[in-house]
């Protein structure tokens, strides 16, 4: 059992082990192999098959476009684009053959400075006249299965040219405010090659993005082990083995019920914006407007999901989120081992593995998984620095503790802020660690620590600025536009039976309590009391209490919505306190109850058994609401069914149940039926069967509704054919409105 942080000053320094040259060589070579394999997979993931792309012709005279196509010297490009200052040509013509494996209702969106004409199979789809400033315009086309000839004609005016093209199938799940980039693998320069590729069956590469993230994580771990070997320190093999076991289990729990069909609110906003970032780099477009997508949020998570979506599709991006969530849970083990004991850290990680809110957000391409990961890894770096700083003999050193850890902790925290601004609340936690350690340091050591921390902040800030060209041309204005999001409420929120905008300051605390299993709250409270009463655990428990409270500082903002997802870093701290509470209760019972004193010699076994019971309880709570853990509510509010009756909180708030309802219609509706989607949000639903006809209004054979804000539509003259529910709480309904005989 590891010593708590508060008693580290009394721990003897372990005798350094001899450097093992063979082990060092193995670890270093493994790190290099992991990095090289990652780079190889990424490169192969972006490689296009032979013959894909657009043929492009140029003419220096804007009036020579008709002759441009017959001229020699056509080149091949992955997609049509014109960048400022890169196109001295007066006219550019692109031609390609588009493989459409399923019927599409395509909408095109073009950013252009100049005259543009888009045609498909000889029919004009979009036309844009020359204007002095860049403008966005759209066009729509209904496409049948087959190969379609696409031509794009661009004439530059007197101003510098510019052109970017986006396309979205409105029949698929999408985010209406950010249309997707062109699917490059579906465009071929030759009609013959395109017809050979029909029907186009894309190979699933959803495994590729999480595999790359896993290899990069392994590379970082191996480099850390290399440093420990060089310093003559023992590797914490038990901690690493426990963490790895937790990561594998947590990842399997998260990918077991990924929402493969459709999407949830905001998912495609982040991943599609990130895909545009990646495409901008591929074509060399670093203009400010090219990075405007989803600008209210910093760029790091969008880069991550965009790369994952480009390599492995939306499912690949979700798997990356699941892996980040699993890695976050795995980090609880070393954090718990540093603060309290390995046993408590492992039990807390097991609890967090099954906590419904953590599982729910790890299955979506949201900002919660990156924020949670960077919060936890920065806390771990700070604690490792504190542990090294409190070792005996540190007073004689010029620096205070491990300088790399002192530098990394604030850098990683800045990267967390680069995923979402709410990660800023980790900085007071890091400051608390510094102040505790500095009480025993010299002024020279304090200055060295401050210098390293400032360097970490500057490096992290520099990385974020480099990753976000949105700020390059107008940094002050860009930050102001981003911060506007956090100055007010976006939508109203159902809270305690009324629709409020914004809900009161206690909203996040109430939502956190309502969405946490009751016994986790109970044992967390017990752990807080017992930890503060114990001399050996007082400092560590105080740290966990501060950690638990700091995310709720977001309540001071007027931006309060979406249950407790903006305070998600509080759950790992509660899990650690709950594990400590179980351990403390077992020790108290064995010491105070006369009939149990004879079992005091096996206290560790009894503690593990009690913690296992709590883990099983949390796992059963998750199982009861699968596959909709977003709608988990605890016994304290009578579960989801009680919330549905009282309207205490929102249900079906991110589109839960819509995918299952559409799936039921696809499986049961006769051919040729009309379907109306009376749902909110409308754009994240999965695709209807191709022979079904979607209607936006008017009479339909089937109507799909959902219970967003508890106001589902009830069509007149229809009967309920299917209901999607979670533990008695309705999420979505399917109504059969067919006339007799149909």
């Amino acid at each position: 059992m590891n010593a708590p942080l508060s008693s580290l000053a009394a721990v003897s320094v372990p005798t350094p082990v001899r450097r093992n040259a063979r082990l060092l060589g193995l670890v270093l070579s493994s790190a290099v192999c992991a990095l090289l394999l990652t780079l190889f997979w990424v490169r192969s993931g972006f490689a296009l098959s032979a013959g894909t792309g657009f043929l492009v012709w140029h003419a220096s005279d804007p009036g020579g476009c008709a002759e441009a196509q017959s001229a020699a010297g056509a080149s091949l490009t992955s997609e049509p684009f014109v960048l400022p200052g890169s196109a001295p040509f007066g006219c550019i013509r692109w031609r390609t053959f588009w493989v459409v494996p399923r019927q599409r209702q395509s909408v095109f969106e073009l950013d252009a400075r100049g005259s543009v004409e888009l045609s498909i199979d000889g029919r004009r789809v979009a036309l844009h006249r020359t204007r002095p400033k860049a403008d966005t315009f759209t066009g729509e086309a209904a496409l049948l299965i087959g190969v379609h000839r696409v031509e794009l004609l661009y004439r530059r005016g007197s101003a510098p040219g510019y052109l970017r093209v986006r396309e979205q199938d409105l029949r698929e799940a999408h985010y209406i405010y950010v249309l997707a980039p062109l699917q490059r693998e579906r465009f071929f320069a030759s009609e013959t090659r395109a017809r050979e590729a029909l029907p186009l069956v894309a190979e699933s590469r959803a495994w590729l993005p999480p595999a790359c993230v896993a290899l990069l994580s392994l590379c970082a771990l191996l480099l850390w082990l290399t440093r420990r070997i060089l310093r003559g320190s023992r590797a914490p093999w038990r901690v690493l083995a426990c963490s790895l076991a937790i990561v594998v289990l947590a990842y399997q729990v998260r990918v077991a019920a990924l929402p493969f069909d459709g999407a949830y609110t905001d998912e495609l906003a982040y991943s599609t914006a990130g895909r545009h970032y990646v495409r901008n780099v591929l074509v060399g477009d670093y203009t400010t407007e090219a990075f405007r997508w989803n600008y209210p949020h910093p760029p790091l998570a969008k880069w991550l999901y965009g790369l994952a979506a480009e390599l492995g599709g939306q499912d690949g991006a979700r798997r990356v989120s699941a892996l980040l969530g699993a890695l976050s849970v795995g980090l609880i083990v070393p954090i718990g081992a540093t603060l309290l004991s390995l046993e408590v850290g492992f039990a807390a990680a097991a609890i967090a593995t099954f906590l419904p809110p953590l599982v729910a957000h790890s299955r979506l391409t949201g900002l919660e998984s990156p924020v949670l990961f960077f919060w936890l890894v920065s806390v771990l770096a700070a604690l490792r620095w504190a542990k090294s700083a409190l070792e005996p003999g540190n007073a004689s050193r010029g620096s205070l503790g491990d300088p790399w850890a002192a530098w990394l902790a604030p850098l990683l925290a800045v990267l967390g802020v680069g995923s979402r601004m709410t990660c800023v609340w980790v900085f007071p936690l890091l400051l608390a660690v510094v102040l505790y350690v500095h009480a025993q340091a010299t002024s020279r050591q304090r200055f060295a620590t401050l210098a390293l921390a400032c360097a970490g902040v500057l490096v992290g800030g520099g990385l974020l600025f480099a990753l976000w060209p949105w700020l390059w041309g107008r940094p002050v204005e860009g930050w102001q536009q981003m911060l506007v999001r956090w100055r007010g409420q976006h939508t109203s929120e159902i809270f305690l039976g009324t629709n409020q905008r914004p809900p009161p300051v206690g909203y996040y605390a109430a939502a956190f309590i309502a969405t946490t299993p009751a016994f986790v709250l109970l044992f967390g409270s017990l752990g807080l009391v017992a930890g503060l009463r114990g001399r050996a655990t007082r400092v560590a428990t105080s740290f966990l209490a501060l950690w638990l409270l700091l995310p709720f500082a977001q309540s001071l903002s007027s931006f309060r919505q979406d249950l407790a997802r903006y305070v998600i870093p509080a759950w790992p701290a509660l899990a650690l306190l709950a594990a400590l509470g179980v351990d403390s209760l077992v020790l108290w019972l064995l010491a105070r109850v006369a009939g149990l004193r004879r079992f005091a010699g096996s206290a560790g076994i009894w503690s593990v058994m009690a913690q296992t019971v709590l883990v099983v309880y949390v796992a059963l709570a998750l199982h009861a609401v699968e596959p909709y853990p977003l709608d988990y509510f605890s016994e304290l509010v009578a579960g989801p069914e009680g919330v549905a009756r009282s309207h205490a909180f929102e249900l079906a708030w991110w589109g839960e149940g819509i995918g299952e309802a559409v799936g039921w219609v696809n499986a049961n509706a006769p051919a040729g039926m009309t379907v109306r989607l009376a749902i909110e949000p409308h754009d994240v639903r999965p695709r209807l069967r191709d022979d079904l006809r979607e209607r936006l209004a008017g009479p339909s054979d089937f109507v799909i509704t959902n219970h967003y804000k508890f106001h589902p539509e009830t069509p007149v003259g229809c009967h309920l054919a299917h209901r999607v529910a979670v533990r008695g709480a309705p999420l979505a309904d399917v109504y059969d409105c067919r006339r007799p005989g149909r």
Side-chain angles (χ1 to χ4, degrees), residues 26 364 532 671:
L26 177 63
L364 310 175
L532 291 176

Side-chain angles (χ1 to χ4, degrees), residues 27 55 62 72 84 132 183 242 255 289 304 337 370 377 383 397 438 450 468 521 564 567 609 630 632 680 694 707 731:
V27 171
L55 286 176
Q183 296 175 293
C242 292
V255 300
E289 290 303 311
L304 185 64
V377 75
L383 292 177
R397 303 175 189 171
H438 273 192
L450 180 61
W468 210 7
L521 289 171
V567 296
M609 292 174 61
L630 269 178
Y632 171 80
E680 179 66 33
E694 180 179 344
H707 289 251
L731 301 178

Side-chain angles (χ1 to χ4, degrees), residues 226-241:
T226 300
R227 186 166 179 269
R228 289 188 68 90
I229 295 172
L230 289 173
R231 297 178 65 189
S233 303
R234 287 187 184 275
W237 298 114
R238 289 182 62 209
V239 175
L240 291 176

Side-chain angles (χ1 to χ4, degrees), residues 51-105:
T52 55
F54 290 70
L55 286 176
V56 56
W57 292 267
H58 302 90
S60 57
D61 180 10
C65 287
E67 293 79 19
Q69 187 169 345
S70 61
S75 57
L76 189 66
T77 183
S78 60
E79 62 180 277
F81 65 93
V82 176
L83 303 182
S86 65
F89 307 101
C91 177
I92 307 176
R93 182 189 294 270
W94 292 269
R95 189 197 70 194
T96 190
F97 294 91
W98 187 8
V99 175
V100 178
R102 300 187 68 177
Q103 297 178 22
R104 297 179 72 86
Q105 183 63 39

Side-chain angles (χ1 to χ4, degrees), residues 605-629:
I605 297 176
W606 288 102
S607 180
V608 169
M609 292 174 61
Q611 289 167 342
T612 301
V613 172
L614 182 60
V615 171
V616 171
Y617 158 76
V618 177
L620 291 175
L622 172 65
H623 177 73
V625 293
E626 288 283 26
Y628 302 110

